[in-house]
Amino acid sequence: MALTPRSRTPSRTGTPIPGRSPSRLVVPHTLRPTHSLSNLHVHSHGSPSAMSATLPTQSTSVTAHATPPTNHELDSSASSVDNVEGILVQEADTDVDTIDEEEGNAVGYIAADPESKQNLRDQLRRTLSKRQSNADITSPRASQKRRHVDVDEIAHDSAPAYPPREYFVLTDAGKPVFTSRPGGDDSEDLSSTMGITQAIISVFLDEGDKLRCINAGNTRITFLLRPPLYYVCVSSWGEPESVTRSHLEYLHLQILSVVTATQLRRIFERRTNFDLRRLLNGAETFMTSLLFRLEFDMAMSTSSLRCLKLDAAIRSRAAEALAPTSKMKDILYIILIARGSVITLIRPKKHSIHPADLHILMNTVHAPSILNSPASASWIPVCLPKFNPAGFVNSYISFLRKGEEEAQQADSSGGESAETPTRDDSRPHNGDASSTVSPERSGKPNTHKLDSGIALVCISGGGEFETVRTWCDAVTKKLESEATLDAISDAIRSGSTEYSVSELGIPGLRHFVYKSRSHVQVTLPTFEEPYDSLHEKRRIITLYQILHDAIHAKSGQEGPLKLQYIRTERESVMGWITQPFELYIALSPRLPKSAAVGAANAVARWVKKEEGRLFLRDAPVF
Amino acid sequence: MADPASGSGDKSVQVKLVLLGEAAVGKSSVVLRFVSNEFQANKEPTIGAAFLTQKCRLEDRVLRYEIWDTAGQERFHSLAPMYYRNAQAAVVVYDVTKASSLEKAKSWVKELQRQANPNIVIALAGNKVDLVLPSPSTSGANSLSESEDEADDATATPGETPGADSQPESLRQVPREEAQAYAAEANLLFFETSAKTGEGVVEIFTEIAKKIPIEHILASTRGGAGRPGAAGARPGQRQEGVNLEENQAKSKDACNC
């Protein structure tokens, strides 16, 4: 019963671009029926994603579909809109997953053996079309209702465990580029996986269609086609399709940051079966750490920035020290980072930074080869794909305070670096290892350091390292002499850069994520009991992602929601979007719905009051 | 190009040095041994380039090495000129267990001799000698008896045990004589090193320090204030006076500051 096909409305998120689809997309885009075996759903371009997890539902849901929630006294003026900012890009396209360009559609996969390929294709066609008959039985249903049912099915613990997601990147010729699978990428198993993937994708491409995902039981395989590269994610966590899709999109951006879009296109124009691993040699760690990060980073899931909670005076003192002199040419951004969060960001008047670029940059800066290096500075070429996909900028990275001491401090303060992947060394098996802040944490290996430390990052368009270094040395001296660095270190040590949900004093509130839409920034308290184990943290984040997906209608829903409330056995969660903010709250399941609304308002009021410390509101421009 | 702020008033002379070589030959490990006297197995590959400094005492002088440890991956090749452009010294590293890495090293040397500062001092370093036993024929006067002991100590993996004679020998792909002959021909300093045991690492930097025309650097960084006459004469004398084969042990003590 739960294996119902989705409504057939054309997807909004993955829009076909008829004008830009040459050779491959010969067949005009039609709403072709989805094919599915009894336990296999294939969702191609024409049909929005589905959540076909099939566990019986135990949760209830109330959804206000684009209805102003007047009767609950929602106080949407709790946070005001101020549009004067613009540190970060906040257009619609900040969502990485809404960009569905068909750049370089002139792909050509290499068919090593046309006959076997044809056989595979026929086989696929035969099996996939079996379903069409029973589709008619299940499809006539109120699509909206069905969607909510499906959401609920996912919403409770459909995934009792969270096996590591698997990610693959391959070329459109079927050559492996990257795999998240531990143990290397030379196994036979892997090349056959890549081969099958390439074949399945090409079956759909031949029909002028694009494969988006396959649902098989609790497992969903999501595909992202960015020719000449294909991206695949296999997950059984029950998250919306838009989530894994955005992971793949980030993976794509990370690869572009290493080779640039232009270089990539040129290489594959010359040699369609180029082995990209040669060029990405040494860059695998970027992708691995990006995937760690994507798992818990709410700023990445909401396409925004998370800045370090800090006294506004310290922040502006740091910002002043960072303002470049006039002789500094070609400077793009200057960023001060602590514990993986931005303290301040200086930029040219005309350039806002795109959140996705910032996340790629943060991930690059915290790569182990830079973080663990004894070097006083690193100087690396990076392509910021949203800024300029065609070229590199140089990034000067200097860790002013190293991570080790910070890691210890974090332990002593009992603080946990909220959504950072620092403790994820236990990722593969260890579902609930970190249930309490305990001494054994400090005994864990060096992956702690992944996101700690204070770093100065200077992005410049020019190649004048000495100028940049001399200037950055001067900035560092200034930060030291004005005791700004000490003040930041002290703040981190005392735990005041993080906060507990208990500080808000809202009864029943367990956790929340607040996104200021005007600032394009999020804030959230530390993940505390009951969300302090990896397993529970994954569960609550998945719930937040479901809400986020629904209120933005990212998976082809009929329309965005203003408010969604889901009750599971263990908590109730609510997502709420208003003009100035998006809010996701987790509450005790015993609270009545009206209390949830009250709590949401209280959170919004508290954030408004604390805004100066929680968000980066202004920084010098030049 | 010198950083005036870090001169700290003493006789410290700044020497820009760049490390080049194929990926995974151990450039960063050589630097880590020199700068921190540490060794990390399974180091992450360098991205772009890392900048490090280390002071080094040579007789009455203090040299401050400003070291560019570059990434060996092919995609970073085009950036190299940025690092060697103003360098006074270069260490080109290859892996004694990988013949192709010497070929890459040779092409780096060629590029340096063609495009870098004409006075650049270039050292060729064959790293990872801990993986190959010093065979009787190749251990020349240059190896310290002490370093042979160290090499033995470091043989933790089965393939490297002194007992398994044939295996370590087969690991070596670049005979010492071949590399040494090439180095002599191209006028390079030559060392076989092990970042793992420390063998030969400090010696590279010490010998470079001896060969660097220090007075020339001083004169040029001070602008007109230097003594051009002296700068012209001294380096020549120095270079003639240096005997690479002598005082190895002594210089090691002298430099490890």
Side-chain angles (χ1 to χ4, degrees):
Chain A
M1 159 254 144
L3 295 165
T4 52
R6 307 314 323 253
S7 60
R8 294 288 151 67
T9 45
S11 158
R12 261 162 313 183
T13 48
T15 39
I17 309 168
R20 298 183 53 189
S21 44
S23 56
R24 297 238 103 203
L25 303 175
V26 204
V27 183
H29 173 71
T30 52
L31 301 181
R32 50 198 303 265
T34 46
H35 310 290
S36 177
L37 291 171
S38 59
N39 63 348
L40 174 72
H41 286 203
V42 176
H43 291 275
S44 63
H45 201 76
S47 61
S49 81
M51 291 164 206
S52 72
T54 54
L55 293 190
T57 170
Q58 298 164 344
S59 52
T60 60
S61 155
V62 172
T63 304
H65 186 267
T67 316
T70 42
N71 52 345
H72 292 309
E73 298 170 12
L74 286 176
D75 182 7
S76 43
S77 66
S79 181
S80 68
V81 201
D82 36 349
N83 291 320
V84 281
E85 294 304 336
I87 292 169
L88 292 123
V89 178
Q90 54 166 327
E91 299 134 29
D93 74 336
T94 44
D95 291 325
V96 283
D97 54 351
T98 58
I99 304 146
D100 208 4
E101 292 168 84
E102 287 298 291
E103 42 178 33
N105 218 332
V107 295
Y109 52 86
I110 307 303
D113 180 359
E115 194 179 316
S116 65
K117 203 175 114 188
Q118 190 55 46
N119 288 342
L120 174 64
R121 227 172 267 190
D122 293 343
Q123 173 66 23
L124 278 169
R125 235 173 243 133
R126 235 174 294 130
T127 49
L128 294 180
S129 52
K130 261 189 199 166
R131 205 205 110 258
Q132 262 160 339
S133 51
N134 48 8
D136 301 324
I137 308 167
T138 46
S139 59
R141 285 249 215 125
S143 63
Q144 191 184 327
K145 189 180 170 196
R146 194 166 62 239
R147 175 169 65 248
H148 297 149
V149 168
D150 282 355
V151 164
D152 290 343
E153 283 162 7
I154 292 287
H156 64 91
D157 354 35
S158 59
Y162 293 91
R165 293 174 173 127
E166 286 202 60
Y167 298 86
F168 306 101
V169 184
L170 60 154
T171 69
D172 52 13
K175 278 221 159 86
V177 174
F178 169 77
T179 171
S180 65
R181 211 178 263 181
D185 42 16
D186 282 328
S187 70
E188 232 168 79
D189 191 27
L190 183 75
S191 28
S192 59
T193 307
M194 298 286 184
I196 290 171
T197 308
Q198 194 265 350
I200 293 175
I201 292 171
S202 66
V203 166
F204 283 83
L205 279 180
D206 282 354
E207 310 251 315
D209 205 348
K210 246 164 63 179
L211 182 59
R212 287 177 65 95
C213 68
I214 298 174
N215 294 334
N218 284 336
T219 303
R220 174 182 295 124
I221 309 168
T222 312
F223 299 85
L224 180 76
L225 313 189
R226 289 285 175 270
L229 298 181
Y230 294 160
Y231 297 79
V232 185
C233 172
V234 184
S235 169
S236 47
W237 291 25
E239 72 287 78
E241 185 228 359
S242 65
V243 172
T244 42
R245 181 164 298 278
S246 93
H247 289 189
L248 297 177
E249 196 75 66
Y250 269 116
L251 212 47
H252 178 58
L253 294 178
Q254 185 73 59
I255 287 183
L256 293 187
S257 81
V258 176
V259 296
T260 80
T262 311
Q263 209 179 333
L264 192 66
R265 202 190 55 235
R266 234 181 265 143
I267 288 168
F268 281 89
E269 269 167 10
R270 268 202 310 267
R271 290 176 57 194
T272 46
N273 61 349
F274 183 79
D275 186 356
L276 194 62
R277 276 180 300 184
R278 255 175 48 203
L279 205 63
L280 291 176
N281 187 2
E284 295 87 352
T285 53
F286 290 151
M287 292 183 275
T288 315
S289 63
L290 182 85
L291 296 177
F292 279 159
R293 206 170 265 270
L294 278 166
E295 204 175 295
F296 293 121
D297 192 335
M298 287 309 295
M300 291 178 95
S301 353
T302 55
S303 297
S304 52
L305 163 74
R306 180 168 182 246
C307 79
L308 192 76
K309 176 171 173 272
L310 196 65
D311 192 73
I314 302 175
R315 203 191 298 281
S316 60
R317 203 161 76 207
E320 275 158 36
L322 260 57
T325 54
S326 55
K327 65 171 185 170
M328 290 282 291
K329 293 197 183 77
D330 298 325
I331 294 293
L332 191 56
Y333 308 117
I334 302 157
I335 313 167
L336 192 65
I337 300 169
R339 304 206 67 190
S341 301
V342 168
I343 293 174
T344 191
L345 190 160
I346 321 289
R347 66 193 168 90
K349 217 172 289 164
K350 286 175 190 156
H351 281 302
S352 299
I353 187 165
H354 196 291
D357 278 350
L358 193 60
H359 287 302
I360 294 298
L361 193 61
M362 296 280 265
N363 182 52
T364 306
V365 166
H366 290 92
S369 57
I370 294 169
L371 197 57
N372 298 335
S373 159
S376 61
S378 291
W379 178 253
I380 67 173
V382 177
C383 167
L384 299 177
K386 300 285 181 182
F387 169 71
N388 176 12
F392 287 107
V393 290
N394 285 306
S395 118
Y396 173 96
I397 303 162
S398 174
F399 273 86
L400 312 179
R401 299 277 159 96
K402 285 284 183 178
E404 260 156 328
E405 68 181 303
E406 310 293 351
Q408 284 158 8
Q409 286 156 12
D411 280 333
S412 64
S413 71
E416 187 183 352
S417 63
E419 87 277 37
T420 59
T422 47
R423 266 143 206 145
D424 209 36
D425 42 334
S426 53
R427 180 177 128 108
H429 311 290
N430 211 346
D432 48 12
S434 53
S435 54
T436 51
V437 177
S438 61
E440 58 190 326
R441 269 210 178 135
S442 53
K444 279 193 190 171
N446 53 18
T447 38
H448 285 249
K449 295 193 291 177
L450 192 59
D451 257 346
S452 43
I454 304 177
L456 175 63
V457 179
C458 179
I459 310 294
S460 82
E464 271 310 314
F465 170 78
E466 288 298 340
T467 324
V468 174
R469 181 172 73 88
T470 311
W471 180 78
C472 284
D473 281 351
V475 168
T476 309
K477 285 210 180 85
K478 199 166 175 199
L479 288 171
E480 287 282 10
S481 68
E482 291 172 355
T484 312
L485 285 182
D486 287 339
I488 295 167
S489 284
D490 287 348
I492 293 170
R493 200 175 300 124
S494 71
S496 71
T497 54
E498 297 180 331
Y499 57 96
S500 161
V501 72
S502 63
E503 279 178 39
L504 279 74
I506 299 170
L509 181 68
R510 289 178 176 175
H511 193 262
F512 68 89
V513 176
Y514 177 103
K515 174 179 175 181
S516 162
R517 298 178 74 197
S518 56
H519 294 119
V520 202
Q521 290 173 39
V522 287
T523 181
L524 61 159
T526 53
F527 285 88
E528 290 167 292
E529 216 268 304
Y531 304 119
D532 49 356
S533 73
L534 273 180
H535 180 269
E536 288 300 301
K537 206 166 148 183
R538 286 178 178 137
R539 202 173 58 80
I540 190 69
I541 284 174
T542 307
L543 282 171
Y544 285 151
Q545 286 167 337
I546 288 166
L547 296 171
H548 182 262
D549 183 73
I551 67 177
H552 290 279
K554 278 175 166 292
S555 293
Q557 292 94 333
E558 247 157 39
L561 306 177
K562 280 251 165 74
L563 186 79
Q564 188 179 38
Y565 175 91
I566 301 171
R567 182 178 290 162
T568 71
E569 275 186 327
R570 299 191 218 168
E571 70 269 293
S572 53
V573 291
M574 188 175 84
W576 175 29
I577 185 165
T578 71
Q579 180 72 21
F581 62 79
E582 289 170 42
L583 179 60
Y584 308 89
I585 56 174
L587 302 137
S588 155
R590 279 189 286 269
L591 283 188
K593 260 170 270 162
S594 58
V597 172
N601 278 319
V603 170
R605 275 193 302 273
W606 181 84
V607 171
K608 177 70 186 161
K609 186 164 65 78
E610 294 288 318
E611 215 176 32
R613 270 184 287 179
L614 296 174
F615 297 128
L616 171 59
R617 289 193 298 182
D618 49 32
V621 292
F622 56 91
Chain B
M1 289 304 114
D3 180 1
S6 49
S8 63
D10 64 351
K11 291 173 184 171
S12 145
V13 183
Q14 307 202 4
V15 177
K16 279 192 65 172
L17 182 146
V18 61
L19 272 100
L20 298 167
E22 196 177 80
V25 295
K27 296 179 291 300
S28 299
S29 294
V30 167
V31 179
L32 184 65
R33 173 60 73 186
F34 176 57
V35 171
S36 320
N37 199 20
E38 286 171 24
F39 178 77
Q40 288 174 9
N42 306 318
K43 250 176 103 43
E44 298 282 349
T46 305
I47 310 294
F51 180 79
L52 303 92
T53 59
Q54 171 69 312
K55 282 190 179 154
C56 184
R57 187 181 303 278
L58 182 77
E59 293 160 21
D60 59 335
R61 289 250 177 252
V62 177
L63 269 71
R64 185 169 177 272
Y65 276 117
E66 299 193 337
I67 302 168
W68 273 117
D69 172 24
T70 66
Q73 276 78 26
E74 199 55 40
R75 66 175 186 276
F76 295 113
H77 189 128
S78 58
L79 302 171
M82 189 159 72
Y83 306 115
Y84 64 64
R85 201 187 311 139
N86 299 306
Q88 284 102 22
V91 178
V92 179
V93 185
Y94 70 93
D95 176 353
V96 294
T97 66
K98 197 176 173 203
S100 66
S101 69
L102 180 64
E103 295 312 307
K104 183 71 197 167
K106 286 179 181 173
S107 84
W108 276 121
V109 169
K110 213 179 278 172
E111 181 169 337
L112 285 171
Q113 288 176 336
R114 205 171 52 234
Q115 296 183 40
N117 174 353
N119 297 321
I120 192 167
V121 176
I122 306 174
L124 180 69
N127 194 33
K128 305 193 191 179
V129 278
D130 55 281
L131 294 179
V132 297
L133 277 179
S135 71
S137 65
T138 57
S139 69
N142 228 5
S143 332
L144 301 164
S145 57
E146 166 205 349
S147 70
E148 283 176 71
D149 296 340
E150 283 177 31
D152 286 348
D153 291 341
T155 52
T157 47
E160 302 158 27
T161 50
D165 258 348
S166 57
Q167 212 160 3
E169 274 310 304
S170 66
L171 274 177
R172 182 187 274 275
Q173 290 189 3
V174 180
R176 185 189 173 91
E177 293 82 358
E178 181 193 330
Q180 197 158 27
Y182 162 71
E185 180 194 335
N187 197 19
L188 317 172
L189 297 171
F190 175 69
F191 305 87
E192 284 199 335
T193 60
S194 164
K196 189 171 178 181
T197 65
E199 177 184 350
V201 172
V202 173
E203 285 80 351
I204 306 175
F205 293 89
T206 310
E207 293 307 316
I208 287 173
K210 289 183 191 167
K211 208 177 167 187
I212 286 274
I214 289 172
E215 298 301 331
H216 186 72
I217 295 170
L218 280 176
S220 64
T221 52
R222 280 182 195 147
R227 293 148 302 172
R234 284 286 296 281
Q237 290 171 6
R238 258 179 191 280
Q239 269 169 331
E240 283 164 31
V242 167
N243 180 353
L244 296 187
E245 305 302 315
E246 75 176 12
N247 291 340
Q248 286 278 346
K250 198 175 114 199
S251 62
K252 188 171 188 171
D253 296 339
C255 194
N256 214 353
C257 50

